[in-house]
Amino acid sequence: MADDSDYDILERALEVDLTDEKLYASELPEQVWRTLRAYGKPVRSHGLRDHWAVTRYRHIEEVYRQGDAFSSEMGMHLGEKESDTLAGPAAGGMSLLVTDNPAHAEMRRALAAAFTPRLMRKLKDSTLDIARTLVARALDEKSADFVDAVAAPLPAIVICDLLGVPESDRDHVLRLTRSAFSGSGYATSNSQLAAHAELFSYSDHLIQEKRRNPGEDVATVLANATMYGRPMDREIAVMNCHDLIAGGNETTRHTSGAAALTMVTHREAWQGLREGSTDVAGATEELLRFEAPVSHVMRVLLEDTEIGGVTLRRGEYVTLWLRSANRDEDVFGGPEELRFDRKGSGHLAFGHGAHYCIAAVLARIEVEAIVTALCEQVADAELAGVPQRLESNFFRGYRTVPLALTRR
């Protein structure tokens, strides 16, 4: 039976502004989500955008199952400043991330053609080589920021391979991605915004070039894709090219940076991995559950809908807190524990249903490559400074993870 202190904790949790990016520089979000899960129903949350916060695994699955009742075209996340509330609707209908059916199905069909088993096998080998090289370089240093040394450069290099960026352009694109994705939240700088604008410009250039000179890459697939039997609009191709660069960088960077930190905070799990009592594939899935890179996704109700016994009204915003679902006590035994041998229900790090992340296979390849390289080469790790959390209500990760690595 709940006592007064339980109600006090709930009241404080309900007063938290989940859109406040400064909240996410700490470990407080996990505590708030735990309290909201215990409440057991969607709750009304206020801030930059008033919304229904859905925190339970089964309720989030229910929303995904009723996908046609929820729209993504007003944006896929809450935003952190007023200008963010305009960005989502501006891209609505042009980006796979913020497009509803039937256009979403058409875009997805076109993009899915790029992620062939043959290309993924090729990328798996080359990505592991890159991870081994980057980890080896970090080991050569007395200490290194793992984000800067490994977690950030690996996906940037891989996305260039995936899109078919020419060798002559790679240094330029890598500089832009480093600047554009160096952080998020209230510390976002003008240089980051300028870098994103340049990435849009470069994506446009790349799409035009691939129409003239096609190759075996994702940019070529986008450049020559069709929708409804007609050539895909140039603006749609450019938007999705940029989004692949963005998603490819952010997902792996945040999960991998956090994964490296678990070598310090969860030594027994890593020791079992090094000794072979657990496998890399299982460890990768558990790290994606435990350190899911996306905190939430947002939808807008197209019709009145009941979720968890609460009636949500047409036109209201709904947020699905994926990281909370991945720690749901009703689904995962000991959810706050990192268990590389965990079996059972799948995580929601990549979403579910029609909007399941189209590049999930790529993210898995990248995270698994870094886990493999760490397992092969690193015997132990110690903190070489204080890790700094990212200030973002959308992405959950670290700006910096300073580590001193010991060679195996």
Side-chain angles (χ1 to χ4, degrees):
M1 183 175 179
D3 58 27
D4 290 342
S5 63
D6 292 326
Y7 292 117
D8 289 342
I9 292 170
L10 175 60
E11 286 301 315
R12 288 198 296 272
L14 291 172
E15 291 171 2
V16 171
D17 177 4
L18 292 175
T19 68
D20 181 4
E21 69 279 1
K22 295 180 182 180
L23 169 71
Y24 298 86
S26 70
E27 306 308 307
L28 285 175
E30 279 73 18
Q31 299 175 33
V32 173
W33 297 328
R34 189 183 309 125
T35 301
L36 297 183
R37 285 197 306 273
Y39 179 62
K41 296 184 291 186
V43 300
R44 198 78 176 127
S45 184
H46 305 284
L48 181 63
R49 280 198 257 215
D50 291 355
H51 60 280
W52 287 100
V54 184
T55 56
R56 301 301 300 271
Y57 188 105
R58 62 186 178 88
H59 294 159
I60 290 175
E61 271 197 321
E62 191 175 340
V63 171
Y64 276 123
R65 281 196 299 270
Q66 300 182 50
D68 290 343
F70 297 84
S71 173
S72 65
E73 294 200 357
M74 291 300 290
M76 68 173 296
H77 59 93
L78 288 165
E80 294 156 356
K81 48 190 179 297
E82 288 296 336
S83 59
D84 292 340
T85 64
L86 304 176
M94 291 201 299
S95 165
L96 180 72
L97 298 172
V98 287
T99 297
D100 300 333
N101 283 328
H104 178 269
E106 282 287 298
M107 284 185 205
R108 192 175 186 91
R109 175 195 55 75
L111 281 167
F115 292 89
T116 63
R118 178 172 173 269
L119 178 58
M120 292 301 102
R121 284 194 297 270
K122 178 184 174 183
L123 273 177
K124 187 170 185 177
D125 292 338
S126 61
T127 301
L128 182 54
D129 288 341
I130 295 165
R132 285 168 170 159
T133 298
L134 293 173
V135 170
R137 289 176 185 170
L139 277 160
D140 287 339
E141 303 295 327
K142 183 177 180 181
S143 65
D145 173 11
F146 193 85
V147 174
D148 187 60
V150 180
L154 181 135
I157 294 168
V158 172
I159 205 68
C160 283
D161 286 340
L162 185 72
L163 290 169
V165 174
E167 288 291 339
S168 58
D169 293 348
R170 293 204 171 190
D171 285 346
H172 173 62
V173 173
L174 290 175
R175 281 196 299 271
L176 287 179
T177 55
R178 276 181 176 270
S179 179
F181 305 110
S182 60
S184 184
Y186 64 81
T188 300
S189 65
N190 289 333
S191 63
Q192 286 174 256
L193 298 176
H196 273 291
E198 284 196 62
L199 280 175
F200 270 113
S201 178
Y202 182 79
S203 296
D204 189 17
H205 161 77
L206 186 63
I207 292 297
Q208 292 187 70
E209 180 60 28
K210 294 298 180 178
R211 284 180 172 170
R212 292 190 293 265
N213 300 296
E216 294 185 11
D217 51 65
V218 174
T220 295
V221 171
L222 275 170
N224 297 284
T226 60
M227 288 183 65
Y228 308 111
R230 301 185 299 273
M232 179 183 284
D233 288 349
R234 175 174 155 188
E235 292 83 0
I236 293 177
V238 170
M239 179 68 72
N240 282 286
C241 183
H242 173 273
D243 287 354
L244 281 171
I245 295 173
N249 273 275
E250 296 281 10
T251 301
T252 300
R253 180 160 67 96
H254 298 317
T255 298
S256 300
L261 185 57
T262 66
M263 289 193 296
V264 176
T265 58
H266 297 80
R267 295 181 189 278
E268 289 185 8
W270 279 90
Q271 188 59 33
L273 189 60
R274 295 186 189 100
E275 293 172 353
S277 60
T278 54
D279 62 69
V280 169
T284 298
E285 291 306 307
E286 175 67 350
L287 285 165
L288 286 165
R289 178 197 73 83
F290 194 74
E291 294 293 358
V294 173
S295 291
H296 77 274
V297 294
M298 187 182 76
R299 297 288 187 264
V300 175
L301 279 152
L302 297 175
E303 58 190 57
D304 291 0
T305 304
E306 184 178 299
I307 299 293
V310 177
T311 299
L312 316 183
R313 300 297 181 185
R314 182 178 183 273
E316 292 180 326
Y317 291 99
V318 178
T319 52
L320 312 180
W321 294 89
L322 304 181
R323 278 191 61 109
S324 174
N326 284 345
R327 305 283 181 102
D328 193 322
E329 298 81 359
D330 288 348
V331 178
F332 303 99
E336 304 297 333
E337 300 172 17
L338 187 70
R339 299 178 183 172
F340 286 165
D341 60 350
R342 186 181 295 277
K343 301 291 188 293
S345 298
H347 58 75
L348 296 179
F350 298 120
H352 185 71
H355 274 267
Y356 185 79
C357 177
I358 197 168
V361 62
L362 177 63
R364 283 189 167 96
I365 286 172
E366 292 175 339
V367 175
E368 185 168 320
I370 290 177
V371 172
T372 298
L374 290 173
C375 184
E376 289 175 345
Q377 299 182 51
V378 178
D380 198 9
E382 298 288 347
L383 286 178
V386 179
Q388 294 182 351
R389 277 282 190 190
L390 193 69
E391 308 91 348
S392 168
N393 65 36
F394 184 55
F395 289 115
R396 188 74 169 141
Y398 291 88
R399 285 185 181 278
T400 62
V401 180
L403 294 175
L405 304 178
T406 303
R407 195 179 302 276
R408 188 171 180 182

